[in-house]
Amino acid sequence: ADCSAEFIFVCLEEWEEICHELLSFALWYMVIFLLAMFTFSVMVKAVLRPIDEMSETVSRFDLKNIHKDRINVEGSKDELKKLAMVINEMLDRMEQAYEAQKQFVSEASHELRTPITVLQGYSSMLRRWGAEDKEVLSESIEAIEAEAKSMQELVEKLLFLSRHERRKLPFAKEWFDMAELIRELDKEMV
């Protein structure tokens, strides 16, 4: 009985020691696991911070600030820096396209304004003297027809450009009579 009690007691002591070591191991494992999770969380936030900054910057873009805002590439690592540079280049191209569009609208407006002014001038001249002077009537009708044709051609060219804006348009050179152009300009100016 003494022997078996001593054996059980020794086994219980060893079992308590094993349990204590297992508990100690589990606690250290939990501490290491929590430290690893905390470190991983901090690293993920550090890695994702540039992506968040890019997101915020891109979400602020509109036509009013396309000229000034760009994504900051400082501090970004390889792939993120490359992505930021590509987005900035795209924004530069968008800005150039927007500026070209503004210039085109301005020039098209000017091109349409000139024939309208000529038409208004000749219609005013017709109202004043056209009914009495056959020469003024003939000249005015001829000028109005020429300007209407010019406006029609301009509008057709604008429609052509809008339909084929994605394709490259061939550049076609044409000969024209410079003297005729100068005579038309002189006539319009008079």
Side-chain angles (χ1 to χ4, degrees):
D2 286 336
C3 227
S4 60
E6 192 176 310
F7 176 74
I8 291 174
F9 184 70
V10 169
C11 285
L12 284 177
E13 282 181 0
E14 286 180 11
W15 180 252
E16 282 180 14
E17 202 174 303
I18 290 173
C19 286
H20 180 69
E21 286 181 18
L22 281 174
L23 185 61
S24 175
F25 177 74
L27 286 174
W28 277 110
Y29 180 76
M30 289 298 289
V31 168
I32 291 172
F33 178 76
L34 290 173
L35 283 174
M37 289 301 291
F38 176 75
T39 305
F40 181 74
S41 172
V42 168
M43 288 174 57
V44 166
K45 284 182 183 178
V47 167
L48 294 179
R49 187 177 313 119
I51 295 174
D52 286 340
E53 289 172 2
M54 282 184 203
S55 266
E56 288 177 26
T57 303
V58 170
S59 69
R60 288 192 310 261
F61 286 134
D62 60 14
L63 291 178
K64 293 174 189 159
N65 66 357
I66 196 168
H67 323 306
K68 57 184 177 183
D69 280 351
R70 292 295 182 264
I71 296 174
N72 184 9
V73 294
E74 298 298 320
S76 299
K77 300 299 180 204
D78 301 324
E79 289 82 9
L80 292 177
K81 188 172 191 172
K82 186 175 180 181
L83 176 64
M85 291 171 66
V86 167
I87 291 172
N88 285 340
E89 289 169 5
M90 178 195 66
L91 290 170
D92 290 340
R93 289 191 306 272
M94 286 174 59
E95 181 181 357
Q96 289 171 353
Y98 178 68
E99 292 300 323
Q101 180 184 5
K102 279 180 23 181
Q103 182 179 355
F104 173 77
V105 168
S106 172
E107 290 175 6
S109 299
H110 176 74
E111 288 295 321
L112 286 170
R113 189 177 296 139
T114 302
I116 290 171
T117 303
V118 170
L119 290 172
Q120 288 173 336
Y122 276 105
S123 67
S124 176
M125 189 170 70
L126 274 174
R127 189 174 295 120
R128 286 190 208 136
W129 303 294
E132 299 163 8
D133 191 348
K134 297 289 183 190
E135 188 177 314
V136 170
L137 178 63
S138 176
E139 179 186 340
S140 297
I141 290 173
E142 189 178 301
I144 288 171
E145 285 176 347
E147 290 303 321
K149 183 180 178 188
S150 173
M151 283 181 66
Q152 181 182 9
E153 288 174 359
L154 181 61
V155 169
E156 285 176 11
K157 288 176 183 175
L158 289 172
L159 288 172
F160 178 79
L161 284 175
S162 72
R163 285 185 199 126
H164 300 291
E165 66 183 357
R166 299 206 187 272
R167 298 181 189 159
K168 291 194 178 205
L169 300 175
F171 179 69
K173 296 180 183 180
E174 290 183 13
W175 288 98
F176 66 96
D177 185 6
M178 186 72 140
E180 182 183 330
L181 177 66
I182 291 174
R183 281 192 297 276
E184 286 178 23
L185 287 173
D186 180 54
K187 193 175 185 181
E188 286 180 16
M189 294 306 287
V190 169

